[in-house]
Amino acid sequence: MLDGERVSPKIGKFRPSATLLLKAVAGERRAEGKPVFDFGLGETKGSLAPHVREAFLRAISTEQTMYGDPAGLPELRQAVLAWLGLERAGYGVENVIVTNGAKQSLFNVFLAVCNPADCVLFDAAPWVSYQPLASAAYAFPVMVVPRAGAGNRLKVTADDLRRNLDLRPHAKLFLLNNPVNPTGQLYDADETEALLAVCVERRVYFVLDRLYWRLLFDGRSFPEPRVDDQTRPWLIQVDGMSKNFRRAGGLRIGWSVAPSDVARAMANLQSHYTSGPSTPAQHASLAAISRPYQGGLREELESNRDLLARLGPKPPRVEIWPTPASFYSFWDVRGCFGLKAPDGVEMRSSDDVAAWLARSEGVITASGSAFEQEGYLRLSFAVPPEELLEGMEAARRAIAALG
Ligand code: PLP
């Protein structure tokens, strides 16, 4: 074996996310007793709801720790249908697969439907793991570039999708993340329906990653995809526990709802590679989604979003996009390019601006380069309001110091 062949070239190309590098800067600042404002990680804070914690502990104390159904607990799969309003939509428990986080649902989709080199289309600012997961499944990831560019807040239209499908006869699926991580945008009902209709017409799967679907602001409701005999064979929905509940990302529970043949393939697949997710975590998730959804987290995030919008002086040369959903503020920082930091470093990329914010004021963000959108930063505002206020002032100081 040659040295360069010890790791598969495909996987060897993977890099840890850029936010990890900024974490190291944050660690150094903390060690020096300097303030750090962490807007980098996409995770809700606060406490796990007591009934969720108790369900987990009860599963342990009653020893529900043997292997379960590889596709997930039947009662959780039934509850998922109710949670998504799909009980009377022509689906049964066999259409629901419970996974180790939404991430594994996505990987299952790529593995179950793609042949090597099949093309998978993503929306214009794809979440960081879509491309590595698709590549690991030997599929070929392609980003749909909207003709309107950032003019439509990077949203893909039906025409954009059609154009890309014309160019890619081997396209197997279009993956839409709604609400969008990282831009915080929401495709409305008409936009969603138009994209779904193109997929049905072209016989490609419409994969909807709806992980943030409960976190919508200003009274909006989630634009549910149309489910009928025409769409059902092409519609795959991915969702999970990690974002709509507090402190639940580490439970590692997600799920997908898919046409029967695809769901069967995914269940068979995961019977070999995970044997299904952890049973106590599934019980905790069942407790969480079996109650009517409490809007406390959403209200808190909406109030943070409003706080951000009301802040006094904004960072100069930065355009902050409106945030109708999710907990991400998306900043256009291209106005900083060409400027120099007091330490002499010129701002040439989102990575440079993110690195300057981190080393000058301890403000940790996610650089647009991780989402294929050079020129932008993503800031998670799922933090306590005091930290948000102080951190925003620190970000303003850092940007104002560029000249
Ligand atoms: N999809 C999107 C858009 C995400 O933001 C994330 C996590 O950040 C995931 C999927 C993966 O979620 P999970 O932690 O449930 O695997």
Side-chain angles (χ1 to χ4, degrees), residues 47-66:
S47 286
L48 198 60
H51 64 288
V52 178
R53 192 171 47 225
E54 278 151 26
F56 186 93
L57 294 173
R58 201 176 321 114
I60 292 287
S61 60
T62 54
E63 296 196 322
Q64 300 195 50
T65 49
M66 296 179 79

Side-chain angles (χ1 to χ4, degrees), residues 152-194:
N152 190 25
R153 301 269 181 230
L154 289 175
K155 285 200 271 183
V156 169
T157 64
D159 280 346
D160 294 323
L161 181 56
R162 256 188 226 106
R163 203 173 51 249
N164 275 267
L165 289 170
D166 288 343
L167 292 170
R168 317 255 172 209
H170 291 291
K172 206 62 189 259
L173 63 89
F174 170 61
L175 170 49
L176 179 73
N177 176 210
N178 198 31
V180 187
N181 172 13
T183 65
Q185 300 309 298
L186 183 71
Y187 286 74
D188 67 22
D190 290 344
E191 291 163 335
T192 309
E193 168 60 24

Side-chain angles (χ1 to χ4, degrees), residues 113 154 166 224 290 391:
V113 307
L154 289 175
D166 288 343
E224 291 291 343
S290 297

Side-chain angles (χ1 to χ4, degrees), residues 55-56 59-60 63-69 73 76 253 275-285:
F56 186 93
I60 292 287
E63 296 196 322
Q64 300 195 50
T65 49
M66 296 179 79
Y67 286 128
D69 186 327
L73 292 174
L76 174 57
I253 295 294
S275 296
S278 148
T279 305
Q282 291 190 73
H283 280 287
S285 305

Side-chain angles (χ1 to χ4, degrees), residues 311-392:
L311 278 184
K314 302 267 183 319
R317 308 176 201 97
V318 172
E319 191 210 338
I320 302 183
W321 284 18
T323 313
S326 82
F327 44 77
Y328 299 121
S329 182
F330 202 59
W331 292 16
D332 181 346
V333 294
R334 288 173 295 178
C336 302
F337 288 3
L339 300 177
K340 276 194 176 159
D343 58 11
V345 177
E346 187 179 330
M347 300 296 110
R348 295 195 178 134
S349 64
S350 322
D351 285 359
D352 290 340
V353 180
W356 167 243
L357 285 168
R359 76 176 177 280
S360 62
E361 294 282 352
V363 175
I364 309 298
T365 59
S367 166
S369 62
F371 307 95
E372 306 297 326
Q373 284 302 335
E374 185 47 72
Y376 298 87
L377 297 181
R378 186 199 76 179
L379 287 86
S380 161
F381 54 79
V383 298
E386 321 74 65
E387 194 179 329
L388 189 61
L389 286 174
E390 276 184 54
M392 287 301 133

